[in-house]
Amino acid sequence: MATQTAAPTLIGSVQRALRLLEAVSSHEGGAPAKQLARETGLPLPTTYHLLRTLTHEGYLRREKGVFVLGDAAFRLAGGGAVQNRRIKIEDSLARWRDEIGVPVYFALYREGEIELVAVADTPSAPAVEEWADFRETAHAHAIGQCLLSQLDLKSRQDHLDRHPVDAITPYTVRNRRLLLERLDGLGRMEPLVERQEYALGTVCAAIPITAGSTAAAMAISLPLHQEERLLPAIERLRTEIGRLFSSLAFSISI
């Protein structure tokens, strides 16, 4: 005897609400309740009830007698775009990792904190282990120093007030004054090189990525005994990033 597949359980009110959202989105200037009821085939009382609920939850707004999409609906739509951008970033990092043969990192400075967005590594070329909180130790790693170098002095001082300079290895910069001097002396697009300041036995280099008001950085890491590969690898990464930006295939607005 053939086994029958059970029909999925469907929630009718959810289906009707989604039909209404689709109908509203098809009208750039919005549409009144009666027109939406006709287009969706819903009874007018049901339409009013669902429209009130969707408006209360922020998915719709009522303006001058018509319904238009609300902020909550736009956030849902934007989520897909954000995910697509994140996938592009991860794909790019993975390609560079394979071509250059080093772990590749991408980070942003957002809302006063370091945010490590994506890392591409392999078992044979692993990323640096985050043994000390990455956000609190920006002064000690290449990515953090590169991001801080892109901030104005007030923003830098604010960050260091919240996350004070503290030596976490024998090679970490010793105090705020020395760190600020290092950052001030960095050329505009000069790679920032860090040797064992965050993790013993590891060297890192980061380059700034700036688009609009967003500070971002790309970085690579290598074992100390492969230090001679560091600068050629970061220069190659810089070239690859330039090609990608020129093709408009990369966005840091995530």
Side-chain angles (χ1 to χ4, degrees), residues 40-161:
T40 57
L42 298 175
L44 189 57
T46 301
T47 301
Y48 276 124
H49 176 71
L50 290 172
L51 289 173
R52 282 195 299 270
T53 302
L54 290 168
T55 301
H56 176 76
E57 296 298 328
Y59 291 97
L60 295 178
R61 295 196 323 272
R62 188 172 186 179
E63 296 182 352
K64 299 179 181 179
V66 301
F67 291 89
V68 297
L69 293 178
D71 291 341
F74 287 117
R75 285 196 297 272
L76 282 178
V82 169
Q83 182 64 18
N84 286 339
R85 287 195 293 270
R86 186 178 293 273
I87 290 171
K88 284 184 179 179
I89 290 171
E90 292 173 349
D91 288 347
S92 298
L93 264 61
R95 187 174 76 250
W96 295 330
R97 172 204 64 199
D98 294 341
E99 290 181 357
I100 305 174
V102 296
V104 184
Y105 310 75
F106 175 63
L108 300 172
Y109 193 83
R110 181 152 49 192
E111 298 180 357
E113 299 293 348
I114 305 293
E115 181 179 336
L116 185 60
V117 176
V119 180
D121 65 349
T122 63
S124 60
V128 177
E129 181 182 354
E130 187 178 349
W131 72 273
D133 192 305
F134 204 72
R135 294 167 300 176
E136 296 180 3
T137 56
H139 63 280
H141 49 73
I143 283 179
Q145 292 181 33
C146 187
L147 291 172
L148 291 176
S149 74
Q150 298 176 62
L151 306 180
D152 58 43
L153 181 58
K154 182 179 178 181
S155 298
R156 269 186 220 166
Q157 297 282 16
D158 172 71
H159 183 93
L160 296 175
D161 285 342

